[in-house]
Amino acid sequence: MDTNLPVSAHPRVVIIGCGFGGLRLAQALRHAPVQVVVVDRNNYHNFQPLLYQVATGALEADSIAYPVRKIFAGQPNFFFRLADVQRVDPARNAVVTSVGEIRYDYLVLATGSLTNFFGLESIERNAMQIKSIPNALNLRSFIFQNFEKALLTSDPAEKQALLNIVVVGGGPTGVEISGSLAEMRKHVLPKDYPELDLAAMQVILVEAGPALLGPMSAASQADAGRYLAELGVQVRLNTSIKKFENCRAYFSDTEFIPTENLVWAAGVNGAEVPGLPAAAVTRNKRVTVNGWNQVQGLANVFAIGDVANLVTDDMPKGMPMLAPVAQQQADHLAANLGRLLHGEAPRDFKYRNKGSMAIVARNKAVVDLPGNVHFNGILGWATWLFVHLLTLVGFRNKVVALVDWAFSYFSSDQALRLIIRPFSRRDVKDDQGKKSAERQTATAEYTPAPPAIQNAVS
Ligand SMILES: Cc1cc2nc3c(=O)[nH]c(=O)nc-3n(C[C@H](O)[C@H](O)[C@H](O)COP(=O)(O)OP(=O)(O)OC[C@H]3O[C@@H](n4cnc5c(N)ncnc54)[C@H](O)[C@@H]3O)c2cc1C
């Protein structure tokens, strides 16, 4: 297949991925004397920090995604191909994609990350993940489907498993989704399901480490724990889920929580692309780069964002997998490509940490700024809303998000609870191109949990 890209007198920069890093880099190269070719398997940019709001019905999917071609309308050196990149062939300066081969002069990997299930096969097969818009819509549909099913069963143990939601991973995503589900239980579900005893519904947040929000300040960790407790979320620290099958999330061979709903927010790996030198790929599938984001062993291949493993003296474990890191590396690489084209020496990247934040519920958020500044509550919440609104791509998306948030705030309601991606109980190809069995457990296979062990979580 021919990708029909025009011949150009300028060098071609191929960017794989139009997430935070790829999008920013392509924009930064707007006036550079290069042809920019972006390849992504989706034709939209996905604003991942708000995925959990789509999953819990607070925002519509369209308001956190933006069509790539619309973003770049009017940028004459920009070309886009909707394709899955299957491998890189550095010896031939080519990438092999699902729509054909694309040659490059410079290649930039901006492929982000994939959910890391740590080799726990039953969890990969049965848990819900939250990395993409289809994942978020699946999660929303699945939870509401299970409430509908809970109405139909007269078996108390089955009902309990349908209502229980276990979230694994106490980072910002796990904390945010747990808080949001607890708010939904308080404000939305009693209106929709007056026949259900929602006091029986448990939201359980499980974290393997000793604290929530690992990289944030002790004050933020404590505030987040307190907010979740106020909302009735059960937090279990120093606890690992080892297996999830037959509607049971197991801590050990014998101890488990009965649940149909397990959300896996416990970790990510880099989304490495096959074909790179093996020595450049780390154990968690990130690609080792030098100070100017050049891939180890390849002169004209670079990596930015989540997939890039850049180790510095102050970041010995590599840069954090965060949107600002991807964006700052994109800006820096654009400047370095300019230097290379002019025969100048590139410069090393330095990360400017502008702080971090997490929202738990309305008027409940935590913010850490450089210089040990910490604040919380309504000020934290307003800061979180403001920053996310500002960084959403597209004016329409900002307006739609603002309207949805204002509606939820003043009505204590969420408009978005349609079951629009009902699950088929069979293996499907997910949007990341990997095989995943969405839900395997048929009601007929359901094994009620012994009540004594259910009590173990309360
Ligand atoms: C639920 C969630 C919440 C988050 N919350 C925050 C937050 O609050 N603050 C924060 O700073 N960060 C947050 N992050 C992390 C942040 O989203 C990432 O750090 C950021 O997206 C990384 O940008 P990137 O450009 O490296 O990759 P991405 O933004 O992930 O983009 C990668 C792109 O590459 C494409 N792609 C990948 N492989 C291929 C292939 N083989 N072929 C074609 N296309 C491909 C994908 O379709 C995607 O468009 C969150 C992430 C998640 C999942």
Side-chain angles (χ1 to χ4, degrees), residues 28 41-42 66 101 138 219 268 297 306 310 341 346 364 408 449-450 453:
R41 58 167 67 107
N42 297 313
Y66 207 82
E101 191 171 280
N138 284 346
V268 285
D306 283 3
L310 172 55
L341 290 170
K364 292 176 168 52
S408 305
I453 296 184

Side-chain angles (χ1 to χ4, degrees), residues 128-429:
M128 311 293 294
Q129 51 176 317
I130 179 152
K131 270 300 286 172
S132 67
I133 286 176
N135 288 163
L137 290 173
N138 284 346
L139 182 51
R140 183 178 94 191
S141 294
F142 192 59
I143 288 172
F144 281 107
Q145 252 174 271
N146 283 340
F147 290 138
E148 296 295 333
K149 280 193 199 157
L151 281 174
L152 302 178
T153 180
S154 42
D155 177 336
E158 183 180 5
K159 194 184 290 265
Q160 183 70 66
L162 286 161
L163 293 179
N164 280 352
I165 303 179
V166 175
V167 179
V168 186
T173 302
V175 165
E176 289 174 351
I177 201 156
S178 303
S180 199
L181 288 166
E183 278 212 307
M184 197 201 259
R185 173 177 61 185
K186 190 169 165 193
H187 298 297
V188 177
L189 300 179
K191 293 179 204 154
D192 280 15
Y193 298 96
E195 299 158 77
L196 281 179
D197 173 16
L198 291 165
M201 173 186 168
Q202 300 179 34
V203 179
I204 303 142
L205 175 58
V206 179
E207 162 58 39
L212 297 174
L213 300 178
M216 293 190 76
S217 66
S220 286
Q221 294 173 352
D223 286 341
R226 181 168 46 85
Y227 291 150
L228 287 169
E230 283 166 15
L231 288 162
V233 174
Q234 295 178 34
V235 176
R236 297 187 62 137
L237 300 174
N238 299 308
T239 304
S240 304
I241 298 289
K242 301 183 179 344
K243 198 165 69 170
F244 177 44
E245 53 193 29
N246 289 329
C247 302
R248 292 170 173 188
Y250 286 87
F251 306 119
S252 65
D253 288 347
T254 50
E255 203 193 3
F256 62 87
I257 303 171
T259 183
E260 268 271 1
N261 313 288
L262 187 135
V263 184
W264 188 255
V268 285
N269 274 336
E272 163 246 354
V273 181
L276 297 168
V281 181
T282 65
R283 209 157 49 91
N284 66 342
K285 313 271 185 228
R286 291 177 99 181
V287 178
T288 301
V289 294
N290 65 13
W292 19 293
N293 286 88
Q294 186 186 45
V295 173
Q296 183 183 312
L298 297 173
N300 59 345
V301 182
F302 302 83
I304 57 173
D306 283 3
V307 74
N309 177 47
L310 172 55
V311 173
T312 56
D313 290 344
D314 50 342
M315 298 272 179
K317 290 185 178 164
M319 297 283 152
M321 289 175 160
L322 291 172
V325 174
Q327 291 173 323
Q328 290 178 28
Q329 289 185 339
D331 288 339
H332 191 77
L333 180 57
N336 270 344
L337 285 173
R339 290 186 189 104
L340 285 171
L341 290 170
H342 289 100
E344 296 165 20
R347 294 186 193 157
D348 280 350
F349 172 77
K350 274 199 178 53
Y351 175 50
R352 293 178 308 284
N353 180 4
K354 294 181 183 165
S356 50
M357 58 183 107
I359 188 171
V360 182
R362 64 157 55 194
N363 299 341
K364 292 176 168 52
V366 290
V367 178
D368 289 342
L369 296 179
N372 289 330
V373 179
H374 161 77
F375 53 96
N376 60 11
I378 194 163
L379 180 61
W381 175 81
T383 308
W384 186 97
L385 282 190
F386 178 73
V387 169
H388 283 77
L389 208 55
L390 210 66
T391 44
L392 258 181
V393 177
F395 179 70
R396 179 196 165 276
N397 288 3
K398 292 181 205 287
V399 173
V400 174
L402 188 62
V403 169
D404 279 344
W405 283 336
F407 173 80
S408 305
Y409 189 80
F410 291 113
S411 66
S412 292
D413 200 356
Q414 284 163 206
L416 306 159
R417 36 214 203 233
L418 311 185
I419 299 172
I420 55 170
R421 284 174 65 91
F423 278 96
S424 51
R425 295 181 189 282
R426 61 187 162 77
D427 282 1
V428 292
K429 291 267 183 190

Side-chain angles (χ1 to χ4, degrees), residues 16-23 39-42 44-52 83-87 109-114 130-132 172-173 176 268 271-274 304-308 320-327 357-358 384 388 431:
I16 313 176
C18 198
F20 282 94
L23 169 67
V39 186
D40 199 301
R41 58 167 67 107
N42 297 313
Y44 55 83
H45 167 78
N46 170 15
F47 194 90
Q48 294 180 37
L50 291 176
L51 276 175
Y52 85 94
D84 202 25
V85 174
Q86 293 157 342
R87 81 188 152 81
L109 306 173
T111 44
S113 55
L114 297 173
I130 179 152
K131 270 300 286 172
S132 67
T173 302
E176 289 174 351
V268 285
E272 163 246 354
V273 181
I304 57 173
D306 283 3
V307 74
M321 289 175 160
L322 291 172
V325 174
Q327 291 173 323
M357 58 183 107
W384 186 97
H388 283 77
D431 60 301

